[in-house]
Amino acid sequence: MAAWRRAIELSLTDADTAKLRSIAQSRTEPASRVERARILLAYREDPSFFAVGQALGLHHQTVQRCVERAVAEGPLAALDDRPRPGREPTITIEAKAWLVDLACRKAKDLGYPHELWTTRLLAWHAREHGPAEGHACLANLAQGTVCKILDQEDVKPHKVRYYLERRDPDFAEKMAKVLCIYRQVKILKKAAAVSKTKPSEQVAIVSYDEKPGIQAIATTAPDLPPDPGVYATFAREHEYKRHGTVSLLAGIDLVTGQVHALVKDRHRSREFIEFLKLLDAAYPARTAIKLILDNHSAHISKETRAWLADQPARRFEFTFTPKHGSWLNLIEGFFSKLARSVLRHIRVASKQELKDRLMAAMDHFNQHPVVHTWTYKLDKAA
């Protein structure tokens, strides 16, 4: 007579139970892990191999093996497959290292017209030159194997990630000055919130920059609207007509969120001075206007300095961002919002229409001003 199967005591902590429930409900976990998590949870409620197998549509021995392994190795360890011996790898560690080192060099340095590697080109090169380098195991190297080897080392030789080199020797000092201005903005906002009054008129802090090269592009045929059940998107003729470019000169008040803007054909010193005149008219005469801006030649030209010299003392004060430090300027976030919401896919009949629509966008943003706030490393300002 067969022996009676005794229930195995499976103890699960609250943390283990929560983790198992998360895995059992997951849509991204491997199916084997999800199934084993459900076995353990079901066995916790009803410690019977046969009952759990019937409920989940599994053989009772499958349930028993899973529970026994959970008791021996832990519930989470029991979710993974045990390592299998498999076939001995045919590609040696030295060959993999040679391939990864090769991927870390540019293809053009080895005489190819390509700037960077493609996995297909890298596999071909390894097949052609690997055996001569002492790696005969690469003679039949497949493209998919190249991808697996590179993934193991987290190397992506076909991609480029851009960075900004710090070329300003006074980068830290200039950054600290900009962050100090942002700290002043924070103080002004807090003071206005506590007193529940309008922001102080003693100082206005404006983040300024230009967005040049905005293209006035026209369509050569009307856009076709979506048709429910037929066409999900707008349809547009591939051909287009260029009407030139315009430059947006914009500054955002960091306390109120108000946007001041001009749209011009160019952004020389005279256009910058015109923007300064716009700010001069927008604020009371007793207000000190502080601008955060980059080192564009128009901001420091003789024409600009001559105009500033004729203004009242301390009316305008410039704080320059470091070279390659435009990310410190909050107006860049506003330009990103503009590009994603207004300029994306824009088509106009003329350059003047583009100017009008840009100014209409400024009016739209000013109806519900958004106060931009800098928080990153603000507490580290000098």
Side-chain angles (χ1 to χ4, degrees), residues 292-334:
I292 300 173
L293 67 172
D294 59 21
N295 295 270
H296 191 273
S297 58
H299 307 160
I300 55 178
S301 64
K302 292 182 179 179
E303 189 176 351
T304 300
R305 285 186 277 117
W307 185 87
L308 290 173
D310 294 335
Q311 306 309 306
R314 298 184 179 178
R315 174 60 168 171
F316 289 96
E317 178 182 334
F318 289 179
T319 300
F320 294 101
T321 58
K323 293 180 180 178
H324 281 193
S326 60
W327 52 272
L328 282 168
N329 205 339
L330 273 174
I331 190 68
E332 298 297 338
F334 172 76

Side-chain angles (χ1 to χ4, degrees), residues 39-52:
I39 290 174
L40 297 180
L41 291 173
Y43 188 82
R44 177 176 178 269
E45 299 298 327
D46 185 3
S48 168
F49 303 141
F50 184 79
V52 172

Side-chain angles (χ1 to χ4, degrees), residues 31-64:
S32 60
R33 285 174 56 85
V34 173
E35 180 181 276
R36 291 163 188 163
R38 290 175 178 172
I39 290 174
L40 297 180
L41 291 173
Y43 188 82
R44 177 176 178 269
E45 299 298 327
D46 185 3
S48 168
F49 303 141
F50 184 79
V52 172
Q54 286 288 98
L56 299 180
L58 302 171
H59 196 279
H60 63 85
Q61 291 182 353
T62 303
V63 178
Q64 182 177 352

Side-chain angles (χ1 to χ4, degrees), residues 161-306:
R161 182 179 179 182
Y162 290 89
Y163 72 97
L164 282 176
E165 182 182 359
R166 291 188 179 182
R167 298 181 179 177
D168 194 331
D170 302 323
F171 188 95
E173 180 182 350
K174 292 179 180 179
M175 180 178 69
K177 290 181 180 180
V178 174
L179 295 183
C180 283
I181 296 295
Y182 290 150
R183 173 170 289 180
Q184 184 180 0
V185 172
K186 187 176 181 180
I187 294 173
L188 291 174
K189 291 178 182 177
K190 186 178 294 185
V194 171
S195 61
K196 296 181 180 180
T197 59
K198 293 182 178 181
S200 172
E201 293 185 350
Q202 295 181 353
V203 62
I205 302 177
V206 178
S207 175
Y208 168 83
D209 201 3
E210 299 95 359
K211 186 174 181 61
I214 303 176
Q215 296 191 70
I217 299 178
T219 57
T220 58
D223 288 345
L224 303 179
D227 189 355
V230 182
Y231 300 108
T233 65
F234 279 92
R236 173 170 290 169
E237 165 64 39
H238 285 280
E239 292 186 0
Y240 56 87
K241 183 184 298 184
R242 297 181 185 272
H243 292 298
T245 60
V246 300
S247 295
L248 172 64
L249 293 75
I252 184 169
D253 191 309
L254 298 182
V255 178
T256 65
Q258 190 77 11
V259 179
H260 307 279
L262 289 175
V263 182
K264 297 293 180 180
D265 291 334
R266 302 175 67 180
H267 57 286
R268 300 163 296 178
S269 298
R270 64 188 67 179
E271 285 80 18
F272 178 58
I273 292 174
E274 187 175 346
F275 179 83
L276 294 178
K277 292 178 179 178
L278 177 67
L279 289 182
D280 189 47
Y283 293 99
R286 63 180 181 276
T287 301
I289 304 175
K290 296 185 177 182
L291 275 82
I292 300 173
L293 67 172
D294 59 21
N295 295 270
H296 191 273
S297 58
H299 307 160
I300 55 178
S301 64
K302 292 182 179 179
E303 189 176 351
T304 300
R305 285 186 277 117

Side-chain angles (χ1 to χ4, degrees), residues 61-107:
Q61 291 182 353
T62 303
V63 178
Q64 182 177 352
R65 285 195 296 269
C66 181
V67 174
E68 288 175 349
R69 188 180 173 201
V71 172
E73 303 177 14
L76 297 182
L79 303 183
D80 297 320
D81 294 333
R82 284 193 175 98
R84 296 181 174 88
R87 188 177 63 178
E88 288 294 328
T90 57
I91 300 179
T92 64
I93 296 177
E94 293 77 10
K96 291 181 180 179
W98 178 81
L99 182 66
V100 172
D101 178 71
L102 183 66
C104 293
R105 301 163 61 187
K106 284 191 173 183

Side-chain angles (χ1 to χ4, degrees), residues 137-159:
C137 56
L138 298 179
N140 298 314
L141 181 66
Q143 180 183 358
T145 306
V146 171
C147 296
K148 292 178 181 178
I149 294 173
L150 296 181
D151 285 342
Q152 291 174 356
E153 301 298 330
D154 195 22
V155 175
K156 299 178 175 62
H158 58 290
K159 291 187 176 182

